Amino acid sequence: MDAPFPYFGGKKPVADQVWQALGNVDHYIEPFFGSGAVLLQRPHLQGFETVNDADGLLANFWRAIRSNPEAVAHHADWPVNEADLHARHLWLVGQRQRLTERLMGDDAYFDAKAAGWWVWGSCAWIGGGWCSGEGPWIAADGVLTDSRQLPHMSAGKGINRQLPHLGNAGKGINRKLPHLGNAGKGINRKLPHLGDAGQGINRKLPHLGDAGRGINRKLFITQWFADLADRLRDVRVACGDWSRVTGPSVLTAGGGVCGVFLDPPYAQDIRAKVY
């Protein structure tokens, strides 16, 4: 099976080699799950499986699709629109901390709307940086605003005082602009993916219908997500530091031979030495 979104650094091309090396282990652990390419390409009948990712938005998608694929498909079924892309991007960045805290505190929690918007946007986004929160564009008074153009903004420090009247009539100086702090607040503005017929769930579908109607995209997405839900039904999805799923209590769970696939997100300076 394939993930319904593109993912930089995905391991689908080497998944066969991974499984040849691991064999049909009794318990499979993937501490840096990402797009889940290795697990989804597993050639054996699955046994005990545990996956983890520190990215709350990504972990939320996998939990939500396992528990309620229809609801996620409902929110993911949307045409590519640049205005919606940036508005939803800002909303998701603002939800990251709340989502991550809830995911860590409640192993049954998920947000289907956040999951659907996240996967839709990841398919419409070009390159890296989706929901990284590192860009300069913020929501100020409900308007997409370049924080670099605001007064008294120094890199990484946000605004430490109230600003003069920047909103609409009657609000004056007794308020502050939201989302002007450091990491995790802003976004980078990019055109949505407009080339080679789209990516993931936004890709162009072949014409199989009559009278020019083709495939119903909602049914296409819903079925894809339902198939993923079936595959992930018994997979345990953790959200946090990778070491939490590689301790003795997890490694010995399920008994038998345990296989761990470690593929951490290397820093740029480390990557040069590794390769």
Side-chain angles (χ1 to χ4, degrees):
M1 299 186 67
D2 290 325
F5 55 88
Y7 195 80
F8 180 77
K11 295 301 178 288
K12 182 178 178 180
V14 299
D16 287 346
Q17 298 176 48
V18 173
W19 287 114
Q20 288 173 17
L22 288 178
N24 189 13
V25 292
D26 299 289
H27 184 188
Y28 173 66
I29 300 176
E30 194 164 343
F32 306 94
F33 193 47
S35 66
V38 174
L39 181 137
L40 294 176
Q41 294 294 316
R42 184 173 186 172
H44 327 102
L45 290 175
Q46 59 266 28
F48 207 60
E49 296 171 330
T50 304
V51 300
N52 172 79
D53 204 283
D55 185 341
L57 292 171
L58 182 59
N60 176 67
F61 171 77
W62 289 118
R63 273 201 199 172
I65 205 131
R66 184 184 65 177
S67 301
N68 196 340
E70 295 83 5
V72 180
H74 169 75
H75 291 290
D77 180 25
W78 196 256
V80 175
N81 183 298
E82 184 179 6
D84 294 340
L85 181 66
H86 292 305
R88 294 181 177 190
H89 193 178
L90 279 169
W91 183 86
L92 286 166
V93 168
Q95 296 298 309
R96 180 191 295 277
Q97 182 175 350
R98 177 192 67 83
L99 263 176
T100 303
E101 290 171 352
R102 290 292 305 272
L103 289 164
M104 289 183 175
D106 182 353
D107 62 2
Y109 175 78
F110 65 89
D111 185 322
K113 175 177 151 180
W117 283 12
W118 180 87
V119 70
W120 168 83
S122 66
C123 295
W125 194 254
I126 299 176
W130 172 244
C131 289
S132 69
E134 297 174 352
W137 292 87
I138 60 171
D141 293 324
V143 177
L144 192 64
T145 304
D146 187 342
S147 63
R148 295 167 297 187
Q149 305 303 317
L150 293 172
H152 307 292
M153 285 290 292
S154 56
K157 293 182 179 179
I159 289 184
N160 296 318
R161 67 176 189 83
Q162 291 178 319
L163 295 177
H165 178 73
L166 295 177
N168 53 7
K171 293 190 176 180
I173 64 171
N174 294 320
R175 55 183 299 281
K176 294 182 180 180
L177 288 176
H179 307 311
L180 296 182
N182 52 7
K185 302 297 185 184
I187 65 168
N188 287 305
R189 288 194 66 185
K190 294 184 180 182
L191 278 174
H193 184 81
L194 302 176
D196 54 20
Q199 307 178 96
I201 62 171
N202 293 330
R203 71 190 189 196
K204 185 178 176 64
L205 298 180
H207 173 70
L208 298 178
D210 56 353
R213 288 190 289 270
I215 295 177
N216 183 301
R217 184 171 297 275
K218 186 175 185 65
L219 292 177
F220 166 74
I221 296 173
T222 301
Q223 185 59 57
W224 193 349
F225 288 6
D227 291 342
L228 284 170
D230 287 341
R231 174 62 183 88
L232 297 169
R233 188 68 63 191
D234 298 320
V235 177
R236 301 186 302 171
V237 183
C239 177
D241 185 82
W242 67 275
S243 61
R244 296 168 66 241
V245 296
T246 55
S249 63
V250 182
L251 291 173
T252 57
V257 177
C258 180
V260 182
F261 178 56
L262 284 168
D263 178 49
Y266 302 108
Q268 188 66 38
D269 57 336
I270 298 177
R271 186 182 300 118
K273 298 176 183 178
V274 171
Y275 292 114

